Amino acid sequence: MLVVIVLAVRGLGRRDADSGQTATGVPPLDWAPVLGFGALALAVGVTAVVLLRIGHRALAASQLTLCVVLAVHTLGSWP
């Protein structure tokens, strides 16, 4: 939920900052999606490892699958 809020706020700020300005060059890199989805993937991965350690294999497998999907999405949003 925190990642969604941060990305939404950054998108709104970017929309307001562009009003009345002309493009003079390449815009700066936006690392927020990479860092946000990377942190989310790390948190899901750590949760999966904890679930494996306490013996919940089915829940851990679903968490690991979600972790892989988030990691692929993170690498896809890499600038």
Side-chain angles (χ1 to χ4, degrees), residues 9-65:
V9 168
R10 288 185 59 86
L12 288 174
R14 204 175 314 124
R15 185 185 65 182
D16 293 339
D18 289 340
S19 60
Q21 296 179 354
T22 60
T24 59
V26 178
L29 294 177
D30 187 15
W31 288 96
V34 175
L35 295 175
F37 286 117
L40 187 60
L42 180 65
V44 170
V46 168
T47 304
V49 169
V50 169
L51 287 170
L52 275 174
R53 300 273 300 176
I54 61 175
H56 294 286
R57 291 181 187 248
L59 292 174
S62 64
Q63 288 288 94
L64 283 173
T65 303

Side-chain angles (χ1 to χ4, degrees), residues 1-10 32-33 35-41 70:
M1 187 67 169
L2 181 63
V3 172
V4 172
I5 292 170
V6 168
L7 291 175
V9 168
R10 288 185 59 86
L35 295 175
F37 286 117
L40 187 60
L70 285 169

